[in-house]
């Protein structure tokens, strides 16, 4: 082989190596990524209430207690709430609680069911707005009055239709599934 052919072959090899290096390098450094973002549904609530307890319990005393439920999650939900007196004799001191018409009591489980779907960030109407001590009690004298609590407990159940469409009485039926 003469010198020209050897130089020509070397130049051709160098061109092929350079081209293949560029292609290989481009292949190795190229990246294609896809971000798959999703938000996890969160069904969380909290009980919020306005409460102004009296300094002393006496017959005829009225005081503010407005228990509500706030949807702190990112999904619509149904809520139910219980309101239990801490002492059975304390219930005798009080007039029956005036429950809002937005809530429905079911004796089979003792819960009040909020009749509307609770959207994220929304708060229910108050279950009741005040507690009133009777002026007279049949079985207990006013001197026997004791301090008591009204214990509030709430639960939520996620609603599956994120558009907020509800079947009739679904606020109650969803808990029976």
């Amino acid at each position: 082989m003469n010198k020209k052919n050897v130089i020509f072959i070397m130049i051709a090899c160098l061109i092929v190596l350079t081209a293949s290096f560029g292609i290989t390098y481009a292949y190795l450094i190229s990246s294609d990524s896809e971000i798959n973002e999703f938000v996890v549904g969160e069904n969380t609530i909290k009980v919020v209430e306005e409460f102004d307890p009296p300094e002393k319990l006496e017959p005829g005393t009225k005081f503010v207690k407005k228990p509500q439920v706030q949807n702190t999650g990112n999904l619509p939900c149904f809520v139910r709430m219980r309101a239990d007196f801490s002492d059975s004799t304390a219930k005798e001191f009080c007039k029956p609680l005036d429950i809002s018409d937005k809530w429905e009591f079911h004796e089979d489980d003792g819960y009040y069911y909020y009749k509307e779907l609770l959207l994220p960030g929304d708060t229910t109407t108050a279950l009741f707005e005040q507690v009133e001590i009777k002026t007279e009690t049949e079985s207990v004298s006013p001197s026997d009055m004791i301090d008591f609590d009204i214990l509030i407990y709430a639960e939520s159940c996620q609603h599956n239709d994120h558009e907020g469409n509800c079947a009739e009485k679904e606020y109650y039926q969803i808990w029976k599934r």
Side-chain angles (χ1 to χ4, degrees), residues 56-72:
K56 185 176 180 189
L57 290 176
E58 297 175 346
T61 301
K62 296 178 185 178
F63 58 94
V64 173
K65 184 168 178 77
K66 297 180 180 181
Q68 299 173 285
V69 177
Q70 182 179 30
N71 183 348
T72 57

Side-chain angles (χ1 to χ4, degrees), residues 10-86:
M10 288 177 68
I11 290 175
C13 286
L14 187 60
I15 290 173
V16 169
L17 279 172
T18 304
S20 64
F21 174 76
I23 292 169
T24 304
Y25 182 71
Y27 175 76
L28 292 175
I29 66 164
S30 72
S31 66
D32 189 14
S33 65
E34 191 69 32
I35 297 175
N36 187 9
E37 292 184 23
F38 64 95
V39 176
V40 176
E42 185 176 34
N43 177 25
T44 55
I45 59 169
K46 72 176 181 177
V47 175
V48 292
E49 71 177 345
E50 183 181 332
F51 179 52
D52 187 19
E55 290 184 25
K56 185 176 180 189
L57 290 176
E58 297 175 346
T61 301
K62 296 178 185 178
F63 58 94
V64 173
K65 184 168 178 77
K66 297 180 180 181
Q68 299 173 285
V69 177
Q70 182 179 30
N71 183 348
T72 57
N74 59 6
L75 296 172
C77 64
F78 291 108
V79 296
R80 64 182 184 176
M81 193 181 323
R82 287 184 67 103
D84 297 320
F85 283 83
S86 61

Side-chain angles (χ1 to χ4, degrees), residues 11-172:
I11 290 175
C13 286
L14 187 60
I15 290 173
V16 169
L17 279 172
T18 304
S20 64
F21 174 76
I23 292 169
T24 304
Y25 182 71
Y27 175 76
L28 292 175
I29 66 164
S30 72
S31 66
D32 189 14
S33 65
E34 191 69 32
I35 297 175
N36 187 9
E37 292 184 23
F38 64 95
V39 176
V40 176
E42 185 176 34
N43 177 25
T44 55
I45 59 169
K46 72 176 181 177
V47 175
V48 292
E49 71 177 345
E50 183 181 332
F51 179 52
D52 187 19
E55 290 184 25
K56 185 176 180 189
L57 290 176
E58 297 175 346
T61 301
K62 296 178 185 178
F63 58 94
V64 173
K65 184 168 178 77
K66 297 180 180 181
Q68 299 173 285
V69 177
Q70 182 179 30
N71 183 348
T72 57
N74 59 6
L75 296 172
C77 64
F78 291 108
V79 296
R80 64 182 184 176
M81 193 181 323
R82 287 184 67 103
D84 297 320
F85 283 83
S86 61
D87 187 280
S88 61
T89 57
K91 190 171 185 176
E92 292 178 36
F93 293 132
C94 296
K95 288 186 175 181
L97 299 173
D98 185 21
I99 304 299
S100 165
D101 61 353
K102 296 277 187 175
W103 293 87
E104 182 177 289
F105 182 71
H106 285 266
E107 211 165 300
D108 61 334
D109 59 9
Y111 280 94
Y112 294 93
Y113 291 81
Y114 192 61
K115 295 182 195 180
E116 297 177 7
L117 186 62
L118 191 59
L119 298 175
D122 286 353
T123 304
T124 65
T125 58
L127 180 62
F128 53 90
E129 297 200 2
Q130 74 175 7
V131 177
E132 185 175 351
I133 307 297
K134 294 178 185 175
T135 53
E136 294 180 14
T137 58
E138 296 172 7
S139 61
V140 182
S141 72
S143 63
D144 293 336
M145 283 191 187
I146 58 169
D147 285 340
F148 65 91
D149 294 317
I150 299 177
L151 307 171
I152 304 297
Y153 174 74
E155 295 179 337
S156 67
C157 188
Q158 173 183 332
H159 185 257
N160 294 330
D161 184 345
H162 300 295
E163 300 297 317
N165 300 319
C166 300
E168 187 176 340
K169 295 248 183 196
E170 186 177 2
Y171 60 88
Y172 175 68

